[in-house]
């Protein structure tokens, strides 16, 4: 079994320079363990808590920047789409199209993503049981595209709180598709700060350790050089300077998981 | 205070003849109590559990049928949209545009719905706290359209189960916008039958009674002449022949609520 | 069907004088609607959040006071027990023995309560589904005592929060035993203030209205002349001066429920 | 940091011979990794779902058997108590007194357990947030006994289901007391089989792996030579013949956790 891949990057794409700097520092953080990474950033935060928060650079500029990062760093790129019409252009520019959790049941979006031929990473809706992701995967697979990844980013648990049910990882893996654990969104507190979501950054490494011990194909961890001043998801992103040590630690648990 | 309005109709639009028959029978069921009704039907079930279930007639044919019902019955019409591009045509044909619960945070959809000038009924996401609906309403209101309704259709409670928290009704009402209680989707068991959602029809009248006693501006109750053979939501729709008695019963509780 | 009975009183027994004053004011509040009441107070708060909060007068003094209230006011009395050994003396002094929610599965306590021959009001554990209360009732009924009441006081919903699932009332009623809705504990926020539980008093009347509309045999509503300074449960008790209006309002919904 | 200790044994004490056989096989399973074990068995299942299921041998016979196991095997013994009066005799016979989850807020029981001077393992109530366990520990510590262990055995998540929130382990560890993860009760489905609880034995090793990766002082894993025919908790116990491999696997993750 392969070591975990790492889907990582800043939540929101800020500029070409910022993306470049982040990609460089991520490459450095991954180097000691030879961890393969997929660079992740969003060109549009299309479902933010409040109308008054920043949405991002938009699709056109965003995809141009992401293509450049792919060229310069030779790493695969992941971005998320919000509308069926965005899938074709995104599929040209990136390697992995991501379906946001709230949209994981939208048939047209899943079909359009599948039809690009790109890999598709679907986040499990916070409102969905892990065993319901089989039906979601089948919608994508009906296009003939079987390059599907299923990602857990937490499940609704009372109000403004998510919980990570680690039974869900083997349940989703039983579909045969690779399973991803999203450690930074799983510690979000949705809507927990009035007009933005809160987060508990300190628990992201805790849950990531649990996930690799349980066994996953990939981890999803958002990172930033200055999370507290990031345009979105600051409360749950990991500071980039902590990533090397974190990856090194996770890789040790992962190597035991992957032996058996 | 006004008596409750009733948003009702079959979950899925089946044909002009079927819609006409349903509208007639609904009008009869509402007559004794002079309950005002808004005819509801969906032209597309865009987020069904499984790819193998029926999606419906499509937007063009669907809106044509809904326009005819409006003309013939003189009643307002509600339908749901799934994509920002659908808002403008839907806004021409119907009086109330509905935002599905899974999509209640999609900014572009909310803005496009608001911009039509039609009334907008937003279902609270199963993953959202009632106090987070203020931010949702503000997104719509930012278009200048304040004809907003906030609708509770249940909150995630463990897996494949929803719970109705009746504290949410006054909390949402504190926004100043009218509040709707959706009694038939609140008893859904999402994904509970493998490839379709289950439901507990017998509890819809129970929760509807609780809602009118707490106090709501409108109720949302889907109905069908033969729920067990309906193309969607059969397990939770109310048989049309039971609607007259149900409305009569609910109206009595409502009249007490509206006095105070 | 009978109008609802009201189980009411201060959470914690403070003194004979206080109990007498409360009983008088409760009798006044119930008079206009001729609502039958059962006087409730606890002689020991045996499971408080923290060791540093007040527990109460103790069993001996407490039962003496409660007996006097019964004599003077001629009303039935309810109190809760915490240990099998307390059941026999409590059964002498009061009419209804109450099993606390945390203890609703303790077989010895249920059997000892049943064996007194007194009526037994069991609170559904916050961790229990309503359909699991049938097994609880059977434990009591195995003593030959069928004077059982099943009471909903909310179900765990995430952390430090309860939710009232009104489907639970008809589910528990299907056992054939009378069902009680506890409106003041259902709005508790367990542990929500660090060393004590918080509460949302303003929602108790909301949930009580929902409960009578759904249909119950009795309501449980704790009250105090000065809740903010009460020794326990202040945040969720109803001020005594609001009780008359509340009872009057609830009785109107109840009369509709009881007709059908 | 010390390797994890293992609290293990059959859920219910069946006979001296059975306890002896189990202790022998447990010692064998623990030998290769030199894992220290605490033998656990209950003399009374005092809160079973239904009155018709077996409760066990009773305190007197039970404590006698447990004392013999301690003598013969030289291992510490853990058993659970259900009533303050049981604490003193239990404290004579065993090394660790366990407070059941439903009873974790019962002040008298906590004080009586603390006063024995034995170590006290308190299970977090399914209805309690992990941060509320500090108050629970303080009740015990108020007796001067600080030999306290805090144990997570799952949290209510909808009906008949528990979820393990692994953020709870570091939260409880912040009290300074050792933290235990109970892998077999965390996969219980309370009341899930009508008159008994169901369970998902296959997920116990999954959650145990997650727990040691997160970091715990001890694991709690019930085991039996024939779980499907055990008098209680069969659906979630681990077959004894699988324990050696499981312990070996867990020890590898644990050694990484304990380095840092």
């Amino acid at each position: 079994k392969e070591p975990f891949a790492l889907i990582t990057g800043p939540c929101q794409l800020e500029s070409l320079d910022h993306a470049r700097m982040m990609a460089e520092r991520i490459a450095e953080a991954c180097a000691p363990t030879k961890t393969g990474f997929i660079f992740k950033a969003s060109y549009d935060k299309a479902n933010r808590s409040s109308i008054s928060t920043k949405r991002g650079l938009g699709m056109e500029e965003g995809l141009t920047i992401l293509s450049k990062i792919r060229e310069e760093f030779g790493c695969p790129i992941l971005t998320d789409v919000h509308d069926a019409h965005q899938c074709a252009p995104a599929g040209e520019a990136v390697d992995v199209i991501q379906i946001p959790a709230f949209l994981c049941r939208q048939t047209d979006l899943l079909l359009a993503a599948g039809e690009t031929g790109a890999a598709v990473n679907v986040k499990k809706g916070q409102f969905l049981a892990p065993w319901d992701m089989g039906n979601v995967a089948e919608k994508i697979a009906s296009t003939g595209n079987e390059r599907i990844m299923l990602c857990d980013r937490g499940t609704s648990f009372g109000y403004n709180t998510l919980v990570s049910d680690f039974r869900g990882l083997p349940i989703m893996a039983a579909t045969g598709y690779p399973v991803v654990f999203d450690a930074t969104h799983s510690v979000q507190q949705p809507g927990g700060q009035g007009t933005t979501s809160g987060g508990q950054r300190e628990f992201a490494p805790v849950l990531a350790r649990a996930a690799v011990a349980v066994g996953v194909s990939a981890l999803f961890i958002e990172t930033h050089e200055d999370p507290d001043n990031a345009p979105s998801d600051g409360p749950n992103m990991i500071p980039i300077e902590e990533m090397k040590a974190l990856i090194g630690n996770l890789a040790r648990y992962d190597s035991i998981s992957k032996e058996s």
Side-chain angles (χ1 to χ4, degrees), chain A:
Chain A
K1 291 176 196 165
E2 296 288 303
F4 69 81
L6 184 64
I7 302 172
T8 188
C11 178
Q12 193 169 132
L13 200 56
E14 299 179 26
S15 69
L16 175 56
D17 280 351
H18 184 261
R20 207 176 255 151
M21 179 274 288
M22 288 303 299
E24 247 167 64
R25 297 192 63 178
I26 287 166
E28 281 165 31
C30 289
T33 46
K34 294 183 183 144
T35 298
F37 71 91
I38 300 170
F39 185 81
K40 184 268 164 181
S42 297
Y43 55 77
D44 184 14
K45 305 311 295 177
N47 59 23
R48 298 206 65 174
S49 297
S50 160
I51 189 75
S52 61
T53 47
K54 285 189 203 161
R55 286 191 50 169
L57 300 176
M59 183 168 72
E60 206 172 342
E61 188 179 349
L63 293 180
T64 306
I65 292 174
L66 290 171
S67 298
K68 285 207 178 122
I69 297 294
R70 172 156 69 169
E71 250 178 65
E72 293 182 21
F73 289 83
C75 62
I77 305 285
L78 173 150
T79 201
D80 47 343
V81 294
H82 315 283
D83 190 292
H85 308 88
Q86 300 180 348
C87 290
E92 302 277 308
V94 305
D95 307 88
V96 188
I97 290 181
Q98 181 167 286
I99 307 294
F102 292 159
L103 302 182
C104 75
R105 285 267 298 264
Q106 303 301 314
T107 307
D108 288 338
L109 185 63
L110 293 164
L111 296 180
E115 276 155 14
T116 63
V120 183
N121 182 36
V122 199
K123 298 236 180 145
K124 184 184 82 58
Q126 299 88 336
F127 46 82
L128 217 64
W131 45 82
D132 292 327
M133 287 298 282
N135 285 323
V136 168
E138 263 182 53
K139 290 185 183 180
I140 302 169
S142 76
T143 65
N145 182 348
E146 298 256 12
R147 302 178 59 213
I148 299 168
M149 296 148 76
L150 303 179
C151 178
D152 190 343
R153 49 93 79 233
T155 301
S156 291
F157 180 64
Y159 292 132
N160 302 313
T161 311
L162 300 172
V163 71
S164 294
D165 181 357
F166 286 100
R167 294 170 297 194
L169 301 179
I171 289 170
M172 295 202 298
T175 59
Y177 297 113
V179 167
V180 185
F181 180 73
D182 177 345
T184 43
H185 288 96
S186 295
V187 299
Q188 254 189 350
Q189 297 173 309
Q193 303 190 331
T195 57
T196 58
S197 288
Q200 300 177 298
R201 188 188 298 155
E202 67 275 26
F203 294 123
V206 170
L207 298 185
R209 275 205 308 277
V212 290
V214 170
V216 286
S217 297
L219 285 172
F220 181 113
I221 301 178
E222 288 185 346
T223 183
H224 196 270
E225 84 286 6
D226 182 12
D228 292 334
N229 293 301
S232 58
D233 278 54
N236 48 285
M237 282 195 284
I238 299 290
I240 181 70
E241 73 261 24
E242 299 176 10
M243 286 294 282
K244 193 191 328 197
L246 176 58
I247 296 166
N249 183 253
L250 296 172
R252 298 194 59 198
Y253 293 98
D254 187 57
S255 70
I256 303 175
S257 295
K258 297 299 166 60
E259 277 174 36
S260 52

